Amino acid sequence: MAKPNGSNAPIRYNTFLCIGSGMAGIALAGKLHQIYGSSLGSLGSDVHFYEKADGMGGTWYKNQYPGCACDVPSALYSFSFDPFMDASCLLPKQQETLAYIQRVAEKHSVPQRTSFRTLVYKCEWRTDTQLWRVYLKDLNTGEKYEHECKVLFGATGVLDTPRESGIEGQENFKGVVMHSSQWDSNVELEGKKIIVVGNGCTGAQIIPGLLERNVASIAQFFRSKHWIQPTLSSRKIPTSLIWIFQHIPGVHTLWRFLFFLLLEQTFGLFYENPLSLLYRRFQQYQAQKYLEERVPEKYHKLLIPDFDFACKRRILEPPDYLNSLSSPRVSLHSDLIAAFTPTGIRTTDGQEFSADIVALCTGFKTNEFMYSIETLGENGESLTEHWSKLGGPSAYNTTAVSGFPNFFIILGPNSTSGHMSVLLAIECNIDFALRTLKPVLDGTAMSVTAKPEAERRFVAGVQDALTHRVWNHGCGSWYYRGGWNGMMWPWSSGYLWWISAVIHWSDLDVKYKEKPRSIIKNISLLALLVLVTAFWMSQGNGKQVFDIGKTVAETINKTWEF
């Protein structure tokens, strides 16, 4: 283990250290193995992970509520280096997705390199050593210790901290209260009266999931509305097609690419121009018709939004959600909840509803990155202080922060999209980081970070583009908080891949151990050498030049012989 406080033991060191071992952390391990090898002692294995949870899998480990499932096709919600070829259906359930994630994690030795139940509470860049020092706390023992690394990755996720319900008097309720991401599977559901607070993606998934558990009744309370679209979530993938994916090279890659194209074309929904408006109107008409045909008329006004289509995250209907609203055991309510009572909740108009269990599907805190970790860069400036100067959470190419050398946030500010798998953004962030780190990892440089002017230019461009996207207008979505959108990527996923693949070194501050000669200097020296050689040969010294050249060539050949 790393050095405990007060111990004389040396502080543990790894080249790479990652905060979090969810999808982003596992992707980092896979990419390191892919590029630098996985054998013991290789650079690809010189990584350690810290995870505050007690198990592997990130959001798919934490979210175990009834009905939990992925709403992105498994072909895309999988790693490019270890695709999900044996998914049983297009949108697998939580258990199947978690099993796939943990299988990939085991393949790349992530559990063996992870300290679970460990809190990272502070990270500090040490200018004297050009290393990151990370301060940790064992949540089981309370012991504090430190760990140093050359490169630090933040993989804490964007939907990690549950949003509080804001309902007063929870301590008075004699039943069980659970947030969807903190679900207790040991709680008996059969025959119980359930109140569900919220109707986003989780709220839509949990209703049919609870009905399958034979609950007595469900009362769903919500303040906002969402556009709901049909989905192929229950469509099974034939076993013959799964066999083809696993045994015929390239077929699953093509399958994955087709889904990429299918989802990528929907990005046209988000622009603020006449063509995109027409596209949204058509999708809105289809969604409204779909809902009206499946939901009792008494709920139409409660469910049909009065804001622009795609302004908020669209819900791909979980199996039987809309049909379940016709069940006599389900009721919908838009009344505001004033407080908990000993037996349930009370609304602002004085009505009381009894319940055995209250399920909070209230979402997560957003537009916050590494918020619970004191992260100090050069000159002791914290991430919070740095972002306050820019207007909000932001990063160069959505991952690098100026003044924080060798530090990258995986799935950082403005990296998520409203139409594509987050895993594409995760892998783009990692690819960009490892490409820019090349001078550091090959030993020619000590650190790399984005230049302040490059970061300001990139951030300004992102925020300006977002003013011309539907997310910043017309509804109170979780994308946009306090006049700042630190969540959404305003361009296509293809463009995010491009800027992650093509590195603009002029935007980066690379601190070399020895300042390399510029290309102009190298060309100048070569030109001078050619001129001197030509002059010498013109003086009748051709044979001597040939002999010298032959000797140099033989020396180079011997040097590169294996």
Side-chain angles (χ1 to χ4, degrees):
M1 293 299 293
K3 174 186 175 184
N5 282 359
S7 168
N8 294 320
I11 295 175
R12 182 177 175 179
Y13 170 84
N14 284 95
T15 300
F16 303 100
L17 194 151
C18 183
I19 307 170
S21 63
M23 298 290 279
I26 296 167
L28 174 63
K31 288 286 186 178
L32 287 174
H33 282 184
Q34 188 180 46
I35 298 171
Y36 294 109
S38 59
S39 60
L40 188 65
S42 67
L43 189 59
S45 65
D46 191 9
V47 57
H48 195 78
F49 301 86
Y50 285 101
E51 172 61 58
K52 65 181 179 181
D54 58 3
M56 178 72 57
T59 187
W60 294 103
Y61 178 78
K62 297 173 186 175
N63 288 271
Q64 300 185 22
Y65 58 86
C68 183
C70 188
D71 61 358
V72 176
S74 57
L76 285 176
Y77 201 86
S78 62
F79 304 104
S80 64
F81 51 85
D82 276 306
F84 196 177
M85 293 187 183
D86 59 345
S88 64
C89 59
L90 294 179
L91 302 179
K93 295 285 189 179
Q94 175 265 342
Q95 298 89 338
E96 187 176 1
T97 301
L98 179 61
Y100 158 71
I101 294 167
Q102 292 180 336
R103 186 170 72 239
V104 176
E106 286 285 353
K107 178 180 177 180
H108 296 287
S109 305
V110 179
Q112 296 89 326
R113 297 192 175 99
T114 300
S115 297
F116 293 101
R117 293 282 298 158
T118 303
L119 178 70
V120 177
Y121 62 90
K122 181 179 178 181
C123 305
E124 179 183 21
W125 174 253
R126 302 290 297 269
T127 54
D128 54 341
T129 60
Q130 295 289 290
L131 297 174
W132 280 96
R133 181 167 292 183
V134 178
Y135 298 82
L136 306 128
K137 179 181 179 180
D138 187 312
L139 294 176
N140 292 324
T141 65
E143 178 187 38
K144 292 184 177 182
Y145 55 97
E146 300 161 15
H147 193 152
E148 288 189 335
C149 63
K150 186 184 293 292
V151 181
L152 178 64
F153 285 94
T156 56
V158 295
L159 299 177
D160 178 61
T161 305
R163 182 185 298 149
E164 296 178 0
S165 67
I167 304 172
E168 297 180 356
Q170 181 175 323
E171 68 279 4
N172 299 323
F173 181 54
K174 295 180 180 180
V176 177
V177 181
M178 294 185 287
H179 190 275
S180 58
S181 67
Q182 299 166 335
W183 195 266
D184 185 353
S185 299
N186 294 318
V187 174
E188 179 61 45
L189 299 176
E190 186 173 353
K192 298 299 176 64
K193 292 182 289 184
I194 315 287
I195 287 177
V196 174
V197 181
N199 72 331
C201 294
T202 299
Q205 289 181 345
I206 204 171
I207 298 297
L210 289 171
L211 287 176
E212 289 178 358
R213 306 293 181 90
N214 296 318
V215 300
S217 65
I218 303 172
Q220 186 177 28
F221 288 80
F222 52 88
R223 295 177 297 180
S224 57
K225 305 174 182 180
H226 300 271
W227 287 109
I228 301 174
Q229 291 185 291
T231 182
L232 298 174
S233 59
S234 58
R235 183 68 60 88
K236 297 290 184 180
I237 299 176
T239 54
S240 56
L241 187 56
I242 294 174
W243 186 92
I244 290 172
F245 290 156
Q246 294 175 325
H247 294 88
I248 302 179
V251 176
H252 191 271
T253 301
L254 178 60
W255 173 259
R256 179 181 171 93
F257 183 64
L258 290 175
F259 273 103
F260 171 81
L261 293 179
L262 180 66
L263 268 63
E264 184 76 331
Q265 60 85 24
T266 63
F267 182 74
L269 284 167
F270 307 126
Y271 284 87
E272 291 282 31
N273 60 46
L275 186 60
S276 292
L277 180 61
L278 184 63
Y279 190 7
R280 288 200 297 274
R281 289 290 179 266
F282 174 73
Q283 293 289 332
Q284 183 170 316
Y285 167 77
Q286 293 285 86
Q288 183 168 334
K289 181 181 177 183
Y290 179 75
L291 188 145
E292 289 174 342
E293 290 174 349
R294 287 162 177 78
V295 174
E297 187 174 353
K298 63 180 179 179
Y299 292 145
H300 287 182
K301 288 185 179 180
L302 284 178
L303 292 174
I304 297 175
D306 55 2
F307 52 78
D308 211 351
F309 186 84
C311 180
K312 290 184 179 181
R313 185 182 181 187
R314 296 161 290 154
I315 296 177
L316 297 178
E317 189 202 0
D320 297 323
Y321 170 62
L322 295 181
N323 290 334
S324 70
L325 302 183
S326 298
S327 170
R329 292 185 288 160
V330 177
S331 61
L332 302 185
H333 308 269
S334 60
D335 311 83
L336 295 178
I337 299 175
F340 280 94
T341 67
T343 58
I345 58 97
R346 183 179 65 253
T347 60
T348 52
D349 61 1
Q351 294 185 76
E352 293 199 7
F353 294 81
S354 62
D356 301 301
I357 300 169
V358 176
L360 301 177
C361 302
T362 50
F364 301 85
K365 292 182 179 180
T366 59
N367 277 276
E368 295 181 348
F369 299 84
M370 304 279 291
Y371 82 99
S372 63
I373 303 171
E374 183 185 9
T375 307
L376 306 177
E378 292 177 319
N379 304 318
E381 183 179 59
S382 70
L383 271 178
T384 303
E385 292 168 339
H386 181 77
W387 284 337
S388 67
K389 297 175 183 178
L390 293 171
S394 47
Y396 175 78
N397 273 23
T398 77
T399 184
V401 183
S402 175
F404 292 76
N406 298 352
F407 171 66
F408 300 88
I409 305 175
I410 306 176
L411 202 62
N414 297 109
S415 60
T416 57
S417 71
H419 69 293
M420 188 58 69
S421 168
V422 295
L423 281 173
L424 188 144
I426 285 172
E427 291 198 31
C428 283
N429 284 170
I430 295 170
D431 288 340
F432 173 79
L434 295 181
R435 287 184 177 108
T436 58
L437 284 166
K438 190 177 184 304
V440 175
L441 300 178
D442 66 17
T444 60
M446 295 179 293
S447 66
V448 60
T449 185
K451 292 180 179 178
E453 59 271 21
E455 182 185 49
R456 286 193 296 268
R457 184 176 64 251
F458 180 84
V459 172
V462 167
Q463 293 300 318
D464 178 67
L466 286 168
T467 63
H468 305 289
R469 303 293 183 268
V470 68
W471 307 305
N472 280 28
H473 307 283
C475 66
S477 75
W478 55 263
Y479 302 144
Y480 190 67
R481 292 279 189 250
W484 186 264
N485 188 334
M487 299 299 297
M488 304 306 290
W489 174 247
W491 298 291
S492 69
S493 297
Y495 183 58
L496 180 60
W497 173 86
W498 174 259
I499 66 169
S500 302
V502 180
I503 308 301
H504 294 278
W505 291 100
S506 59
D507 286 350
L508 303 175
D509 181 12
V510 183
K511 287 187 171 59
Y512 287 97
K513 293 179 179 178
E514 292 182 10
K515 193 169 183 179
R517 292 171 175 169
S518 67
I519 295 176
I520 295 176
K521 286 182 178 179
N522 288 333
I523 293 174
S524 300
L525 287 172
L526 181 61
L528 180 61
L529 180 61
V530 170
L531 288 174
V532 170
T533 303
F535 174 76
W536 198 13
M537 292 182 69
S538 69
Q539 302 300 311
N541 296 315
K543 186 177 185 306
Q544 292 93 322
V545 173
F546 176 80
D547 291 340
I548 292 171
K550 182 180 178 182
T551 302
V552 171
E554 289 175 348
T555 302
I556 292 173
N557 286 335
K558 288 180 180 179
T559 302
W560 289 97
E561 282 179 356
F562 295 96

